[in-house]
Amino acid sequence: MKGAFWLLALFMIAVAVTIAATYNSGYVLIVAQPYRIELSLNLLVLLLLAIILMGYLGMRLIAFTARLPAELSEFRTRRRREKALEGTLDGLKAFFERRYAKAEKSAATALKMEDSTAFSAINAIVAARSAHGLRNYSRRDEFIAQAETSAPQEVALRLMTQAELLLDEHRPEEALDLLHQLPSGELRRHPGALRLELEAQQNVGNWDVVLELIGQLEQRDGPEADLIKQLRCRAHIENLRSRMLNPQALKEYWENLSPSEKKDGKVAAAAARAFSATGDCAMVHHLVEQSLESQWDSELAKLYAECIGSDPLRQIERAEAWLEGHPSDAFLLLALGKLCVNAELWGKAQSYLEASLSVKPGYAAHLALGQLNEKLGQPELAREHYGKGLELAVRQLERPQGPNNAME
């Protein structure tokens, strides 16, 4: 609509000028001795308009020529950034497709073209991760150094990436040093950094620190509850093992655990083994009995006979009470057999050990029967059980470990 209006106005002006020129008979005399120039008024108006138009066009040409270098530079910069962005996207796409050679090449090319610190940091990190994926660690370190030079303010991105790659290279101590270089307080506020430190602390065996980090992650959007439980369980197990040579420290650590943690079968089993190593059989029997009363665990039942107490008959009575509720538990039958051997109840010992083998053959039961037959003066039977036990042990070593095939 606006264009039609201007076109109509232009036609009206043209008609008005034509009519005015038709009825205008005036002239202009220009005297410049020795010359006299006589022009019609219409021609003079046309000449003046032409001069003004040429002057305007000349000024526009001069301005365009003056701006040309800057516009050309801006065009080249814009084109350069477009190509850098295209290279960055190509690098990211190739990286997520695990085509690390192409990803490194694209990111390295884009890194040379892009002046933006954010893009430089991203391209350097993509190139470093790609080089790491190709197991070219020296080139990876070069790209990390380039990221530090081109984008020094991107500290968290660089340090966390480098720490993660060092963890993958099984260098947890160096990864921890890098994480501790993060700005004050950022390590504790950043969930990603906490996860990396958690992994590194596990690898170096700082299980007390692992427990602290688990507590911090629980207060944020950390790992799932099941994973948290597994990590805490493992940390307690490792801490119990590390205190095996210090009975007082072991006892204090166990007492500081929550009731729910003490009832965990794996934690209780680790504690039982640790107290058994210190010779505190009364503590072993107490914690096994306490844990089994709340939740049955065959592994714990087996450990009940690992530490010989002062009253084996009481242990047999307690274990036989459990047997009423778990008559087909091979580990419980094995423990009862060992307890009867310690109490010199040879007949009951043989019955329980053979019952354990009938439920689930295991080298521990064959070994116990072999030792029992030696005491009973039956060397042939003893050698037979030793041979079968050895055969089962070899088979166990040849196949992957798992909860369903673990031997006694």
Side-chain angles (χ1 to χ4, degrees), residues 169-311:
E169 201 183 344
H170 307 294
R171 296 162 63 184
E173 293 88 355
E174 296 173 63
L176 279 174
D177 291 340
L178 287 171
L179 290 172
H180 292 156
Q181 291 177 24
L182 285 169
S184 178
E186 185 168 351
L187 178 60
R188 292 293 175 262
R189 293 193 303 268
H190 201 308
L194 282 176
R195 287 170 183 261
L196 287 174
E197 187 184 8
L198 178 64
E199 183 179 351
Q201 296 291 3
Q202 288 181 76
N203 290 337
V204 299
N206 293 335
W207 297 104
D208 288 325
V209 180
V210 168
L211 288 172
E212 293 178 10
L213 293 172
I214 290 173
Q216 293 178 34
L217 282 171
E218 278 186 310
Q219 299 172 7
R220 297 172 173 82
D221 293 332
E224 297 178 355
D226 290 342
L227 180 57
I228 287 286
K229 183 178 179 181
Q230 293 174 12
L231 289 173
R232 181 175 279 113
C233 175
R234 186 185 175 193
H236 286 318
I237 290 172
E238 296 296 337
N239 277 333
L240 288 167
R241 288 174 179 171
S242 66
R243 290 162 173 78
M244 194 177 293
L245 300 179
N246 189 336
Q248 184 60 32
L250 176 62
K251 188 174 182 180
E252 289 177 359
Y253 189 87
W254 174 255
E255 290 176 350
N256 288 329
L257 294 181
S258 67
S260 61
E261 290 169 337
K262 291 180 178 179
K263 292 176 182 178
D264 185 284
K266 293 181 179 179
V267 175
R273 291 189 181 95
F275 281 113
S276 180
T278 65
D280 192 348
C281 292
M283 188 63 182
V284 173
H285 300 156
H286 172 71
L287 68 89
V288 169
E289 291 168 0
Q290 189 178 39
S291 181
L292 290 181
E293 288 298 330
S294 61
Q295 183 178 2
W296 183 256
D297 188 294
S298 295
E299 183 71 19
L300 269 177
K302 182 186 71 172
L303 293 174
Y304 194 54
E306 296 299 319
C307 197
I308 308 302
S310 59
D311 191 359

Side-chain angles (χ1 to χ4, degrees), residues 66-233:
R67 291 197 312 268
L68 187 61
E71 290 186 356
L72 184 60
S73 176
E74 184 180 350
F75 171 77
R76 288 175 176 173
T77 301
R78 186 168 61 251
R79 183 62 182 151
R80 179 186 179 91
R81 287 179 177 174
E82 289 174 356
K83 291 183 68 175
L85 178 59
E86 184 179 349
T88 300
L89 294 176
D90 287 342
L92 287 170
K93 181 174 180 292
F95 176 77
F96 289 123
E97 291 175 351
R98 295 182 180 273
R99 293 187 292 166
Y100 295 128
K102 182 179 179 181
E104 181 187 346
K105 182 179 178 181
S106 299
T109 303
L111 184 60
K112 295 175 182 178
M113 293 188 293
E114 182 56 60
D115 297 329
S116 168
T117 56
F119 272 95
S120 297
I122 291 172
N123 284 312
I125 294 304
V126 170
R129 286 183 175 276
S130 300
H132 181 85
L134 296 170
R135 295 294 182 262
N136 193 327
Y137 300 130
S138 60
R139 199 158 66 234
R140 173 202 66 189
D141 294 338
E142 290 175 6
F143 284 121
I144 292 290
Q146 196 167 353
E148 184 176 7
T149 302
S150 60
Q153 72 276 20
E154 301 292 344
V155 178
L157 174 62
R158 174 176 54 83
L159 291 178
M160 288 178 62
T161 299
Q162 194 173 4
E164 182 180 350
L165 298 181
L166 287 174
L167 281 173
D168 187 63
E169 201 183 344
H170 307 294
R171 296 162 63 184
E173 293 88 355
E174 296 173 63
L176 279 174
D177 291 340
L178 287 171
L179 290 172
H180 292 156
Q181 291 177 24
L182 285 169
S184 178
E186 185 168 351
L187 178 60
R188 292 293 175 262
R189 293 193 303 268
H190 201 308
L194 282 176
R195 287 170 183 261
L196 287 174
E197 187 184 8
L198 178 64
E199 183 179 351
Q201 296 291 3
Q202 288 181 76
N203 290 337
V204 299
N206 293 335
W207 297 104
D208 288 325
V209 180
V210 168
L211 288 172
E212 293 178 10
L213 293 172
I214 290 173
Q216 293 178 34
L217 282 171
E218 278 186 310
Q219 299 172 7
R220 297 172 173 82
D221 293 332
E224 297 178 355
D226 290 342
L227 180 57
I228 287 286
K229 183 178 179 181
Q230 293 174 12
L231 289 173
R232 181 175 279 113
C233 175

